[in-house]
Amino acid sequence: EAGVVQSPRYKIIEKKQPVAFWCNPISGHNTLYWYRQNLGQGPELLIRYENEEAVDDSQLPKDRFSAERLKGVDSTLKIQPAELGDSAVYLCASSLGGRAGNEQFFGPGTRLTVL
Amino acid sequence: KQEVTQIPAALSVPEGENLVLNCSFTDSAIYNLQWFRQDPGKGLTSLLLIQSSQREQTSGRLNASLDKSSGRSTLYIAASQPGDSATYLCAVSGSEKLVFGKGTKLTVNP
């Protein structure tokens, strides 16, 4: 069974440019998460989806970040415009959902470098 | 607000040694606790998940314990190998959100 798929794996852009990350969760997983991991830190949640609904986006910087999960499967996270401080690893995770505390499975992440 | 602390931040041991990684959390109202492994430049691999009603979980050479009342968990690695070198992250789930510690970077020397 395929795990969580993310692309691209690496992205280097100049500040003020837009960037987008794509995630395909494990088949059948209704809950999808986007986390950001800064160097030397643990991941922090940006947004959580239950099917196509964003149920927790309190930590998403909405002035420049946006996300969507059309049809409740794949998801895209966008940054526009990117800033130097956005350099980090962006991780996507999924779980079965339906109840709190389900095990989360992570993708390989996208490492973003903003120059 | 839940806070998770992992001690030590880094650990270097000779091959074959048994070792313990520590994790503490401030709010005992959790659903579960997960231990992850992260290799450099890679994503997170789930090692063990302990539900709040459980005291421990075992997988191969790994054993994780949970003392919810005291807000502590330990990850025990038996007979460490160079391939165990990685960063180990502890995360607690109080709702649908995982709160992570900063991790312990483990180096096992041949």
Side-chain angles (χ1 to χ4, degrees), chain B residues 29-65:
Chain B
I30 64 171
Y31 286 103
N32 62 44
L33 183 146
Q34 274 187 263
W35 282 95
F36 294 90
R37 168 185 174 138
Q38 187 171 35
D39 292 284
K42 301 291 180 62
L44 277 64
T45 300
S46 181
L47 297 173
L48 290 164
L49 179 145
I50 311 176
Q51 300 291 352
S52 62
S53 58
Q54 297 175 317
R55 297 284 292 181
E56 65 178 342
Q57 281 285 346
T58 298
S59 176
R61 295 182 293 107
L62 306 180
N63 176 275
S65 67

Side-chain angles (χ1 to χ4, degrees), chain A residues 33 37 41 48 99 101 103, chain B residues 32 38 43 46 96 100 102:
Chain A
Y33 314 78
Q37 185 177 22
Q41 305 292 316
R48 171 171 66 93
R99 67 175 180 86
E103 186 173 8
Chain B
N32 62 44
Q38 187 171 35
S46 181
E96 287 285 351
F100 284 83
K102 293 183 179 181

Side-chain angles (χ1 to χ4, degrees), chain A residues 22-70:
Chain A
W22 175 81
C23 173
N24 181 251
I26 292 173
S27 178
H29 281 193
N30 298 325
T31 307
L32 183 146
Y33 314 78
W34 282 103
Y35 289 85
R36 177 169 61 185
Q37 185 177 22
N38 293 311
L39 189 64
Q41 305 292 316
E44 294 183 332
L45 181 70
L46 291 174
I47 189 168
R48 171 171 66 93
Y49 281 93
E50 291 290 346
N51 298 303
E52 62 272 13
E53 181 182 0
V55 295
D56 184 356
D57 63 356
S58 57
Q59 301 302 310
L60 190 72
K62 298 180 184 61
D63 57 336
R64 298 183 299 106
F65 286 65
S66 64
E68 61 182 11
R69 192 185 183 195
L70 300 177

Side-chain angles (χ1 to χ4, degrees), chain A residues 2-7 22-27 32 73-75 92 94:
Chain A
V4 177
V5 179
Q6 291 188 248
S7 69
W22 175 81
C23 173
N24 181 251
I26 292 173
S27 178
L32 183 146
V73 181
D74 295 4
S75 177
C92 179
S94 69

